[in-house]
Amino acid sequence: MMWRIAGQVLRGSGVRGVPRGCYRRERHLSVPRYGSCSQWSEKARMSSGNAPVAARLEGLGKNLWVEFSALAVQTKAVNLGQGMPDFSPPQFVVDALVEATKTTAGNQYTRSQGHPRLVKALAKMYSILHGREINPMTEVIITLGAYTCLAHVISAFLQPGDEVVLIEPFFDCYVPMAKMAGAKIVYVPLRPQGKSPGTSKDWVLDQQELEAAFSSKTKMIILNTPNNPFGKVFTRAELEVVADLCKRHNVICVSDEVYEWLVYSGNEHCRMGILVRGVDE
């Protein structure tokens, strides 16, 4: 087993902190954490010159959040693209965090799918919201943020050649995640209703256009309500159309409802999990 670093191939044995049978030598030595000798470091890939990135990364382009966040810092601009609180957390949260550090009981490896206390609390809350009993140990999983959750679901279910339906406009991470899985993206835009649409309510799904996007290759539809960046809260009627198509075509609906609590009066947030009740959610 070998490392190839900046054009060098080195063998080793028993170097402290490095898997037996391999080590690497650089001007700035970086010992791999639980390293696999078949891996290349980022520095190695960039400096070797003959190790192109995987084909699945081609054409993905830059991440706009990375670019604009850097520009905001550089120009000392107010960043309206991301949530940047300029106030401290509530004192009771700080106190709870301090107390949690005083015991070793909770500072160990926890259950992989989520700490029992946390998943039970979430299951209890969503059981009320969904009107059915949710099993905390089999129906709730905790991830490191929404990005991680979406990436896991998309990569777990999509295979090369599958089709995934995206409703435009959509949050930017859906496309690279679907492309990384080798899926083909089918776009369905919201259409303006009336001559001069004034709010996001005036942009609606065309039912015939949505139905035409489904085929024998369709594996998934990704839905975001309330929508980012548009702010649209999909109506129950629109979501029922989506739910019906998913049932008919046996399609997975990934319902991104991260903004479910940010709904203005006069709007109703409908949860897709309720509309597909009775089928394999």
Side-chain angles (χ1 to χ4, degrees):
M1 302 177 75
M2 299 176 287
W3 284 90
R4 177 174 180 172
I5 303 297
Q8 302 180 49
V9 177
L10 305 177
R11 295 180 183 273
S13 60
V15 179
R16 183 177 181 182
V18 183
R20 187 173 185 82
C22 65
Y23 69 90
R24 54 181 176 172
R25 183 178 64 211
E26 301 177 74
R27 290 179 181 174
H28 303 286
L29 180 65
S30 177
V31 177
R33 183 187 179 205
Y34 309 118
S36 165
C37 295
S38 62
Q39 293 177 310
W40 288 2
S41 70
E42 182 67 21
K43 183 185 294 186
R45 290 196 298 109
M46 294 176 65
S47 60
S48 62
N50 59 355
V53 296
R56 61 179 174 274
L57 295 178
E58 294 178 3
L60 293 184
K62 295 182 179 179
N63 183 293
L64 65 91
W65 296 110
V66 173
E67 188 171 357
F68 275 87
S69 294
L71 286 172
V73 173
Q74 180 183 337
T75 60
K76 298 181 179 180
V78 176
N79 188 345
L80 298 179
Q82 293 176 298
M84 302 289 185
D86 58 356
F87 52 86
S88 300
Q91 189 58 43
F92 75 88
V93 175
V94 176
D95 293 341
L97 179 60
V98 171
E99 285 300 316
T101 63
K102 294 179 180 180
T103 174
T104 58
N107 297 318
Q108 308 293 334
Y109 282 113
T110 189
R111 177 174 172 268
S112 298
Q113 298 90 338
H115 193 283
R117 184 180 175 187
L118 178 56
V119 296
K120 287 177 181 177
L122 289 171
K124 181 179 179 181
M125 180 182 73
Y126 279 101
S127 291
I128 297 172
L129 295 173
H130 283 243
R132 71 173 185 86
E133 196 66 28
I134 294 176
N135 188 321
M137 297 302 166
T138 60
E139 296 184 83
V140 180
I141 187 168
I142 307 300
T143 62
L144 299 177
Y147 260 53
T148 304
C149 177
L150 289 165
H152 285 341
V153 171
I154 290 170
S155 61
F157 288 102
L158 291 180
Q159 300 193 64
D162 287 340
E163 293 185 357
V164 54
V165 177
L166 289 185
I167 299 173
E168 299 178 290
F170 49 78
F171 195 57
D172 68 302
C173 71
Y174 301 154
V175 168
M177 289 179 181
K179 286 186 175 180
M180 282 277 287
K184 175 186 176 182
I185 301 172
V186 179
Y187 300 97
V188 178
L190 293 171
R191 299 291 184 184
Q193 192 176 45
K195 294 183 179 179
S196 55
T199 70
S200 59
K201 282 185 177 181
D202 300 317
W203 294 77
V204 298
L205 273 175
D206 184 300
Q207 183 172 342
Q208 292 184 340
E209 193 170 8
L210 182 62
E211 289 181 358
F214 281 69
S215 71
S216 59
K217 294 182 179 180
T218 306
K219 184 70 172 292
M220 178 182 292
I221 179 171
I222 302 176
L223 178 74
N224 179 207
T225 182
N227 177 269
N228 182 358
F230 216 39
K232 176 182 172 62
V233 180
F234 285 83
T235 65
R236 179 175 293 272
E238 288 175 312
L239 295 179
E240 285 175 344
V241 170
V242 175
D244 180 64
L245 286 169
C246 289
K247 293 174 186 177
R248 269 195 280 156
H249 295 272
N250 193 28
V251 167
I252 298 167
C253 178
V254 176
S255 188
D256 183 356
E257 301 176 16
V258 68
Y259 305 106
E260 62 179 316
W261 306 112
L262 301 178
V263 179
Y264 289 110
S265 57
N267 294 281
E268 177 194 10
H269 172 61
C270 299
R271 295 176 173 81
M272 183 59 74
I274 297 175
L275 300 179
V276 297
R277 186 183 299 164
V279 299
D280 184 1
E281 299 182 24

